[in-house]
Amino acid sequence: MSAIYYITTPIYYVNDKPHIGHAYTSIAADVLARFKRMDGYEVLFTTGTDEHGQKIAKAAWEKNISPQAFCDEVSKSFQDLTPLLNLSNDIFIRTTQNHHQKAAQYLWQELQDKGHIYKGCYKGWYAVRDEAYYGADELIDGKAPTGADVEWIEEDSYFFNLSQWQQPLLDFYKQHPDFIKPQGRFNEVIKFVEGGLHDLSISRSTFKWGVPVPHDSDHVMYVWIDALVNYLSVLGYPHKDTVKTHWPHAIHMVGKDILRFHGVYWPAFLMAAGLTPPQRIMAHGWWTINGQKMSKSLKNTIDPVSFVKTHGVDALRYYLMREAPMGHDGNFSHETFIQRYNADLANDLGNLSQRVLSFVHKNACSHVPTPDVLTKEDHNLLHEAKKCLTLLRRYADQQAHSRMLEAIWRLISLSNKYVDEMAPWHLKKTDTQRMETVLYVLLDVLRMIGLYILPFMPQTATTLLNFLSVKEDERTFLKHPPLKPHTPLPAPVGLFPRIQSSL
Ligand code: MSP
């Protein structure tokens, strides 16, 4: 039986249309899902929309439509990201789905039956934009630390006994030193928990747009407890076997802004319900646009639909995965995009593939040539190509996407250097047998490069592997035999036309 790999994106709020920040989280998860599928794992990759709560109710009210109709419309624009960004998610969950609501109520009941929920009255600050409670000591100039407006609320509420979970959480963190990545973010979480935890208000009673609390229709669940349960309801929680097989392997890809919910509240809820916390929480950084925070009021958000239409999905996927090391913030600018596109895609990868494939097309009768005895240089390059996969596996387990790309681009640059040094255009005149060997080595390395870039740029990789006549069932990391001499090759075309920098 194959090993299980279960990866999730956060579920997106439907108060607004998707932007490049959402695309980033989903692409990062997709790359790992694709990589692990190619490496023989049984992968489950889930995403979806977070549709309840005051923020969504308010957005629907402002548009003068029912919350459900509003959610249906905006959720659709997130579902459309799957084909647009070439995401390979297996499930798209919506928290308004019946099975999810039942799962959330089941978990609530478990917590209540085990004595972790009590009724009280919440008096304190709340930021609707963040759907988060804040202590008075956390406010900065009367606002949430995120800059969101806060309002004072006083309402009947159910509480979760979070304060009791300080020590179990600290023990868990100690026993699982890789629970949260990067380490700096983990340290922040530990410090926050060491500072003491207050019980958490987990229901609202002043509006209705939420999952009803079991046996108390005056209350709806706090949207975060409802939302976090999505990671279980996609598995068929509570009754399906998938919960047993998949849950312990969960890897949550989240933005740094929602780490407290995932790194503190979620493991506490789970432990209280008798379940284990997820395996890993990877907290990524945030994207700014030309150095500024992305915001509706600044009208600087980048629409993934128009970006993909102009530049293609793979260029976007590559740029987002390469430009900012995972865990760090990134700055999106058209200048750096064009630089990366022209240097890495058009020049390094595009030129390598075009010069090798068109040379073979013209000088080796459009067939995979037959290699003669390999030299030290040939062995070295082939060895580097194979070794690259070991690095990719290691970095994939660290969710280190940009490192994976750096390793592939090192191989591309070694290959370009090999072309220059071997100069097949000279060999054509002096030693055709050696020329064939060099071309064979290059084609086989290109084949491995095609496999390695597949999780990042599925369209480009497919085109490249088609040019090399690689069979569909040989596009994996487990079974990928070298190219067979005499295999006919179709006529190649360029992968990435250069972008003029005036754009
Ligand atoms: N609904 C909650 C998540 C619940 S998960 C159980 C939520 N939704 S969100 O739509 O506001 O954000 C979803 C994800 O998008 C978060 O991981 C967030 O970090 C990410 N991003 C939103 N803006 C972003 C940037 N500007 N840059 C990078 N990621 C950003 O939070």
Side-chain angles (χ1 to χ4, degrees):
M1 218 183 76
S2 343
I4 283 167
Y5 188 80
Y6 170 35
I7 185 152
T8 69
T9 76
I11 48 171
Y12 302 105
Y13 284 131
V14 289
N15 61 311
D16 204 3
K17 293 235 157 3
H19 58 60
I20 221 82
H22 306 122
Y24 176 64
T25 318
S26 290
I27 293 169
D30 183 60
V31 167
L32 296 173
R34 287 177 180 274
F35 186 92
K36 290 289 180 176
R37 275 192 210 106
M38 289 178 71
D39 216 9
Y41 285 74
E42 183 183 330
V43 170
L44 181 70
F45 166 29
T46 70
T47 185
T49 41
D50 188 354
E51 307 189 4
H52 290 128
Q54 205 175 348
K55 168 152 100 168
I56 310 300
K58 192 166 157 254
W61 186 82
E62 281 165 2
K63 290 226 162 176
N64 205 17
I65 49 175
S66 75
Q68 188 62 59
F70 177 70
C71 290
D72 290 347
E73 187 187 316
V74 188
S75 175
K76 171 81 174 58
S77 59
F78 280 93
Q79 289 167 48
D80 290 345
L81 285 186
T82 294
L84 179 83
L85 300 175
N86 216 345
L87 304 174
S88 62
N89 53 288
D90 302 288
I91 294 178
F92 188 100
I93 188 171
R94 300 182 57 186
T95 53
T96 46
Q97 284 166 338
N98 200 22
H99 77 97
H100 167 76
Q101 304 203 38
K102 284 203 170 121
Q105 287 175 327
Y106 189 95
L107 185 92
W108 179 289
Q109 197 63 57
E110 285 282 283
L111 296 176
Q112 198 154 31
D113 292 348
K114 291 184 159 81
H116 303 300
I117 292 181
Y118 63 91
K119 206 167 178 183
C121 176
Y122 177 76
K123 287 187 191 161
W125 296 104
Y126 192 77
V128 178
R129 194 182 85 188
D130 301 345
E131 293 287 16
Y133 302 94
Y134 290 106
D137 54 337
E138 288 182 287
L139 302 189
I140 302 167
D141 298 332
K143 293 201 179 240
T146 56
D149 287 334
V150 289
E151 59 189 52
W152 180 260
I153 58 174
E154 287 191 18
E155 62 188 55
D156 286 347
S157 172
Y158 285 94
F159 284 82
F160 170 71
N161 64 355
L162 185 64
S163 56
Q164 311 281 307
W165 294 92
Q166 181 187 22
Q167 200 49 49
L169 280 169
L170 292 173
D171 293 344
F172 177 80
Y173 298 152
K174 207 172 204 164
Q175 286 152 13
H176 299 85
D178 292 327
F179 177 52
I180 295 174
K181 290 278 169 191
Q183 188 60 42
R185 298 261 168 239
F186 199 1
N187 296 343
E188 285 168 20
V189 167
I190 295 171
K191 216 164 134 207
F192 172 75
V193 175
E194 281 173 346
L197 295 171
H198 299 290
D199 288 351
L200 181 71
S201 160
I202 53 164
S203 76
R204 302 290 312 269
S205 52
T206 47
F207 64 91
K208 291 273 166 225
W209 186 238
V211 179
V213 163
H215 314 298
D216 190 345
S217 54
D218 290 341
H219 289 253
V220 291
M221 289 183 199
Y222 170 42
V223 63
W224 266 101
I225 187 164
D226 158 9
L228 287 161
V229 174
N230 96 84
Y231 301 131
L232 284 171
S233 49
V234 289
L235 300 178
Y237 176 81
H239 301 301
K240 289 222 175 112
D241 282 347
T242 336
V243 181
K244 283 193 206 94
T245 52
H246 287 62
W247 177 249
H249 306 284
I251 295 176
H252 299 320
M253 201 77 168
V254 302
K256 63 180 182 181
D257 53 315
I258 53 174
L259 183 54
R260 190 181 292 183
F261 302 97
H262 285 82
V264 182
Y265 302 166
W266 185 221
F269 295 154
L270 289 162
M271 288 195 271
L275 292 161
T276 54
Q279 183 190 316
R280 163 77 47 89
I281 294 164
M282 177 72 216
H284 66 69
W286 261 47
W287 284 88
T288 49
I289 308 287
N290 297 319
Q292 278 187 313
K293 202 175 163 193
M294 247 188 267
S295 91
K296 257 200 288 182
S297 51
L298 289 172
K299 292 199 172 59
N300 66 349
T301 55
I302 291 188
D303 171 18
V305 178
S306 61
F307 195 91
V308 165
K309 218 171 178 181
T310 316
H311 299 296
V313 62
D314 280 357
L316 174 67
R317 289 175 65 107
Y318 177 78
Y319 176 72
L320 290 177
M321 293 302 102
R322 182 74 194 257
E323 188 63 13
M326 187 51 66
H328 294 242
D329 291 338
N331 181 39
F332 197 106
S333 78
H334 274 274
E335 289 71 40
T336 55
F337 168 75
I338 288 166
Q339 266 165 27
R340 280 246 172 250
Y341 178 99
N342 282 339
D344 301 0
L345 299 180
N347 281 2
D348 296 345
L349 174 60
N351 276 355
L352 175 69
S353 110
Q354 192 53 17
R355 70 210 283 219
V356 173
L357 291 169
S358 60
F359 194 88
V360 170
H361 189 63
K362 289 188 198 122
N363 302 293
C365 309
S366 301
H367 280 74
V368 175
T370 307
D372 194 15
V373 182
L374 299 186
T375 64
K376 195 173 104 224
E377 289 80 6
D378 305 339
H379 280 299
N380 278 350
L381 187 63
L382 287 166
H383 174 71
E384 288 289 347
K386 286 175 197 148
K387 203 178 74 182
C388 189
L389 181 57
T390 314
L391 286 178
L392 296 181
R393 286 186 169 127
R394 182 187 316 153
Y395 295 146
D397 285 335
Q398 297 167 357
Q399 295 85 38
H401 298 63
S402 61
R403 286 188 157 196
M404 294 170 80
L405 286 171
E406 276 161 27
I408 304 170
W409 255 255
R410 181 175 168 273
L411 176 61
I412 292 174
S413 108
L414 288 174
S415 308
N416 270 320
K417 199 161 154 251
Y418 174 90
V419 182
D420 295 340
E421 286 171 4
M422 296 303 129
W425 47 91
H426 287 315
L427 294 171
K428 186 181 145 189
K429 295 175 205 143
T430 55
D431 185 349
T432 52
Q433 204 167 29
R434 175 71 194 139
M435 174 192 82
E436 292 218 359
T437 307
V438 165
L439 293 179
Y440 179 85
V441 169
L442 280 166
L443 287 176
D444 206 41
V445 171
L446 260 187
R447 176 187 64 81
M448 288 185 258
I449 291 171
L451 293 177
Y452 300 161
I453 61 170
L454 208 155
F456 292 91
M457 296 188 283
Q459 264 181 12
T460 307
T462 302
T463 308
L464 180 56
L465 294 168
N466 288 347
F467 287 152
L468 294 163
S469 300
V470 176
K471 291 190 194 133
E472 292 283 343
D473 65 348
E474 291 176 355
R475 297 177 186 193
T476 81
F477 297 137
L478 299 181
K479 178 188 162 227
H480 65 104
L483 291 173
K484 275 202 192 71
H486 309 299
T487 310
L489 301 174
V493 287
L495 294 179
F496 293 103
R498 276 184 79 80
I499 304 179
Q500 295 313 312
S501 45
S502 60
L503 271 178

